[in-house]
Amino acid sequence: MSTFTERTYRPKTHREAMAELCLTLPRTPGCHPWCTLHCQIDETTTFCMGPDVLTPVTPNGYVGLSSCAQERGGQPMIDLGDGLDHVTVEQAEEYARAILRQVARARGQEVSA
Ligand SMILES: [Zn+2]
């Protein structure tokens, strides 16, 4: 009991947290191609989870990808890594485009359309 283990704090990614909290299942034929972790939340709800993209700019340190077959018709959702926001692929693309336009503008590289 006297062993001191030094731990550095590292927030769990959604994927890691879900892997601990949920029952992980084998992939199903209906899984998305990017499904690397198929999880069950309750008796009737399962979802696909893809690999997280790690990035220091989100509060959670990642951007995630998941899809619940029982919600939104199994539409993939991008987890923006702030613990709250899940957006559709289209919304994420629009958001990313807007950010990239402002980055270009800020750097004086704006291309007039
Ligand atoms: Zn799956």
Side-chain angles (χ1 to χ4, degrees):
M1 298 299 279
S2 62
T3 307
F4 175 74
T5 307
E6 190 176 336
R7 290 180 184 275
T8 45
Y9 175 73
R10 186 176 73 87
K12 281 194 187 90
T13 68
H14 185 55
R15 195 182 143 78
E16 288 167 338
M18 291 313 282
E20 279 183 10
L21 290 172
C22 300
L23 190 62
T24 57
L25 305 171
R27 279 183 57 126
T28 72
C31 274
H32 289 276
W34 43 258
C35 177
T36 53
L37 193 67
H38 199 70
C39 293
Q40 180 162 15
I41 305 174
D42 57 37
E43 303 237 324
T44 57
T45 312
T46 67
F47 63 94
C48 292
M49 198 177 308
D52 290 319
V53 173
L54 301 182
T55 171
V57 301
T58 67
N60 293 348
Y62 69 92
V63 173
L65 176 62
S66 62
S67 173
C68 179
Q70 287 76 22
E71 287 176 13
R72 300 170 187 271
Q75 191 180 23
M77 298 297 287
I78 310 285
D79 171 1
L80 299 181
D82 63 2
L84 293 171
D85 289 331
H86 285 71
V87 298
T88 65
V89 171
E90 290 71 26
Q91 287 170 328
E93 186 174 37
E94 188 60 39
Y95 187 33
R97 281 207 181 116
I99 290 172
L100 288 176
R101 279 191 62 189
Q102 294 293 36
V103 168
R105 178 175 289 158
R107 289 178 174 162
Q109 300 164 341
E110 189 174 19
V111 180
S112 54

